[in-house]
């Protein structure tokens, strides 16, 4: 299959072009649609992304987040809008709930607090002061539920704001169109 093999110089050129493009804001927005379109058409043929699965995403945020592809595409969409801290926090909390080692849980809780909860943190999420203070107390003796209040708030924000924008986005519509066309072929 000669068409599948590319020369190393072409790959290096592509990597250099991608690196240069990443320096611009346009790369995060406009080219993202193009990349998702390409990946979507490849995924429908090779990785099982199909119209039926994607149409489930529009039924609820929960269904979108429970889909491997839905989660990835939603994260890419939020990143393109420079608002991916909420989904990032939600995913980190889901992973945190799986920790069973108390030392690791304590260490991870402090990192999550410093990155997302603490005022002026690098990826600060939008929660009220009362919740922030409760979490600060909870991480002194962390449990799998110490971030639940903030996670519920963030989920609600995504459900009311980010999720409806995603469903109206060019990215989602383009993917739906491309998968529905492959069904009709």
């Amino acid at each position: 299959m000669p068409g599948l093999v590319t020369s190393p110089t072409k790959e290096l050129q592509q990597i250099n072009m991608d690196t240069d493009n990443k320096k611009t804001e346009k790369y995060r927005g406009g080219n993202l649609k193009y990349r998702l379109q390409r990946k979507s058409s490849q995924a429908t043929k090779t990785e099982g992304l199909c119209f039926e699965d994607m149409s489930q995403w529009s039924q609820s945020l929960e269904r979108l987040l429970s889909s491997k592809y839905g989660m990835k595409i939603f994260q890419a969409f939020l990143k393109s809008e420079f608002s991916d801290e909420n989904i990032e926090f939600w995913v980190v909390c889901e992973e945190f709930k799986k920790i069973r080692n108390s030392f690791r849980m304590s260490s991870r809780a402090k990192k999550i607090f410093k990155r997302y909860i603490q005022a002026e943190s690098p990826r600060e999420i939008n929660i009220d002061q009362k919740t922030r203070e409760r979490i600060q107390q909870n991480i002194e003796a962390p449990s799998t539920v110490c971030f639940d209040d903030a996670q519920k708030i963030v989920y609600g924000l995504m459900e009311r704001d980010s999720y409806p924008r995603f469903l109206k986005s060019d990215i989602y519509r383009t993917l739906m169109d491309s998968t529905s066309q492959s069904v009709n072929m």
Side-chain angles (χ1 to χ4, degrees):
M1 293 194 184
L4 296 177
V5 179
T6 60
S7 71
T9 55
K10 283 186 181 178
E11 290 176 0
L12 289 174
Q13 289 172 344
Q14 184 63 39
I15 290 169
N16 288 338
M17 286 172 40
D18 287 347
T19 305
D20 291 340
N21 286 339
K22 285 181 183 176
K23 295 175 184 172
T24 66
E25 283 185 26
K26 189 174 182 181
Y27 179 80
R28 293 191 76 177
N31 286 348
L32 175 63
K33 289 183 224 171
Y34 172 75
R35 289 193 329 261
L36 285 173
Q37 287 170 352
R38 273 189 48 215
K39 286 186 180 192
S40 147
S41 64
Q42 293 167 353
T44 55
K45 296 173 188 167
T46 61
E47 297 179 26
L49 181 62
C50 66
F51 180 76
E52 291 80 22
D53 292 340
M54 289 185 63
S55 62
Q56 296 278 317
W57 300 350
S58 66
Q59 293 179 8
S60 70
L61 177 59
E62 183 179 350
R63 289 207 178 172
L64 173 67
L65 298 180
S66 67
S67 163
K68 174 181 156 185
Y69 297 115
M71 172 72 82
K72 296 281 186 202
I73 294 168
F74 188 56
Q75 285 175 316
F77 166 74
L78 292 175
K79 192 168 193 157
S80 75
E81 295 202 338
F82 305 98
S83 62
D84 59 329
E85 66 281 346
N86 286 338
I87 189 68
E88 190 178 291
F89 172 74
W90 187 86
V91 169
V92 166
C93 287
E94 290 298 299
E95 292 168 359
F96 178 80
K97 291 175 184 180
K98 296 174 187 174
I99 298 173
R100 298 294 169 234
N101 178 297
S102 61
F103 177 76
R104 189 165 173 245
M105 183 177 283
S106 177
S107 171
R108 189 72 177 133
K110 289 174 184 168
K111 287 179 184 176
I112 292 170
F113 184 84
K114 286 180 182 175
R115 184 165 174 89
Y116 302 99
I117 306 297
Q118 188 173 5
E120 305 296 320
S121 61
R123 305 285 287 160
E124 184 179 359
I125 56 170
N126 187 9
I127 57 172
D128 58 273
Q129 186 61 30
K130 186 177 178 182
T131 303
R132 194 178 313 278
E133 290 169 358
R134 194 172 327 116
I135 291 170
Q136 190 168 14
Q137 292 170 352
N138 289 345
I139 65 169
E140 295 302 320
S143 70
T144 56
V145 298
C146 67
F147 295 105
D148 278 3
D149 291 341
Q151 191 179 19
K152 286 175 188 169
I153 291 169
V154 163
Y155 187 89
L157 290 171
M158 290 190 301
E159 193 170 42
R160 287 186 308 277
D161 180 48
S162 309
Y163 175 63
R165 281 187 293 125
F166 170 72
L167 294 177
K168 294 174 186 171
S169 72
D170 289 340
I171 293 169
Y172 179 69
R173 285 200 236 141
T174 302
L175 286 170
M176 286 296 290
D177 290 345
S178 67
T179 55
S180 69
Q181 288 170 1
S182 67
V183 167
N184 295 330
M185 291 181 170

